[in-house]
Amino acid sequence: RGLRDVLGPEALLTYHSDGGTFGPTCIHAEGWSDLVMIQSGHWDVENPAWDWIDHLYRLQPPKPALDGEPCYEDHPIAPWPVWNPANGYFRDYEVRKQIYRSVFAGGCGVTYGHHSIWQFYGPRYEIINHADRTWVEALDRPAAAQLIHLKRLMLSRPYFDRIPDQALIISEAGQAGGHIRTTRSQHHEQQYAFVYFPNAHQSATLDLGFFRTPTVNASWFDPRTGAVQPLGEFANGLIEFTTPETGPDWVLVLDDPRADFPLPE
């Protein structure tokens, strides 16, 4: 009430939940809550953020949901109560996997974070929780530069027409590190779909029947660089796609040829 009194109705209010737990459901029905935030956190490389977002997406009344603290780049993996260096660190690949799959599962957006930057680790401050570089060095880390490609991809198509839809996948969607996630348009005009594959040379059979056209355009989108590899036009139906050998992760972009969408960039 204090925040509303001072900031007014334009303030966007949410709640920062504990890490690695699914606690925001009880907050969802609160009248002050404008959106619901999870923290998939830093405990596990494959915390199922996509399942948590999917659950929140389906609650009533509908509210935006997002992963507000996925694994931070260069954060030690599961460092509590005592970190085992053999666990290693979350690098750009782990960050992309969590972020793309939570957004494709229905997240309205996502937060990127870096372990050294939040604490501004450097000569003036003591190291916290095994940071492996200074905050200045962290400014140029790979995932920090790669997340603009996700934004450009999502905004290259009608954003508010987008829904999650795992029914596109006829084969197994996979679990944990191999889990594939899809999102698509929901109306009959300007149809499109994005499919995130976390691994190189990974296959999935997709049902493109929701497209109302006899053919569908397909491209591979590289989440590391934003580069696009056109695959061509495919007859509508059940089609198996296999990611390139390089990678590791890729986004399959499927478009209605009539929509004349530009290639994401």
Side-chain angles (χ1 to χ4, degrees):
R1 286 196 298 269
L3 290 171
R4 288 288 184 214
D5 288 346
V6 174
L7 300 176
E10 299 302 314
L12 189 66
L13 302 186
T14 188
Y15 171 79
H16 194 302
S17 63
D18 290 341
T21 61
F22 186 37
T25 302
C26 61
I27 304 298
H28 183 274
E30 295 288 336
W32 57 263
S33 174
D34 297 309
L35 59 84
V36 188
M37 189 185 90
I38 65 166
Q39 180 193 165
S40 61
H42 321 284
W43 281 98
D44 195 307
V45 174
E46 306 295 349
N47 268 343
W50 50 90
D51 286 340
W52 302 345
I53 291 291
D54 180 76
H55 176 78
L56 293 174
Y57 177 86
R58 300 176 191 282
L59 292 179
Q60 295 295 324
K63 290 183 178 181
L66 80 160
D67 191 350
E69 190 174 334
C71 53
Y72 283 178
E73 191 169 15
D74 298 325
H75 193 293
I77 299 172
W80 306 283
V82 177
W83 180 53
N84 180 356
N87 291 349
Y89 289 80
F90 295 100
R91 304 304 189 191
D92 59 310
Y93 175 46
E94 288 77 29
V95 172
R96 291 196 309 272
K97 284 196 295 181
Q98 290 297 87
I99 281 177
Y100 272 83
R101 290 185 289 186
S102 73
V103 170
F104 283 20
C108 65
V110 73
T111 299
Y112 165 84
H114 192 281
H115 184 50
S116 297
I117 291 177
W118 73 259
Q119 60 182 277
F120 285 99
Y121 168 57
R124 291 186 295 170
Y125 299 101
E126 292 185 6
I127 192 169
I128 299 174
N129 202 5
H130 312 288
D132 68 347
R133 66 199 68 225
T134 69
W135 72 269
V136 174
E137 294 170 322
L139 292 173
D140 293 322
R141 292 298 286 156
Q146 292 165 357
L147 266 293
I148 189 64
H149 305 313
L150 171 61
K151 176 182 177 179
R152 288 172 176 165
L153 174 66
M154 304 314 294
L155 297 183
S156 71
R157 305 292 184 268
Y159 184 80
F160 292 106
D161 188 38
R162 181 176 67 90
I163 60 172
D165 187 6
Q166 289 297 92
L168 269 67
I169 305 175
I170 300 302
S171 55
E172 289 294 322
Q175 301 294 323
H179 182 67
I180 301 168
R181 205 75 202 184
T182 67
T183 185
R184 68 170 177 86
S185 58
Q186 61 181 323
H187 295 123
H188 302 326
E189 301 294 330
Q190 294 188 307
Q191 293 177 302
Y192 70 93
F194 299 148
V195 186
Y196 180 80
F197 290 78
N199 297 315
H201 198 62
Q202 184 175 16
S203 299
T205 300
L206 306 179
D207 182 0
L208 306 186
F210 86 93
F211 282 95
R212 299 302 179 93
T213 53
T215 61
V216 178
N217 288 338
S219 302
W220 288 117
F221 176 84
D222 187 337
R224 292 161 298 281
T225 66
V228 176
Q229 300 179 18
L231 290 175
E233 201 166 322
F234 293 79
N236 199 335
L238 303 183
I239 303 176
E240 182 181 61
F241 291 93
T242 302
T243 56
E245 294 283 355
T246 57
D249 51 334
W250 293 90
V251 177
L252 180 67
V253 178
L254 301 166
D255 286 323
D256 179 341
R258 301 172 304 176
D260 197 27
F261 288 125
L263 292 176
E265 59 181 30

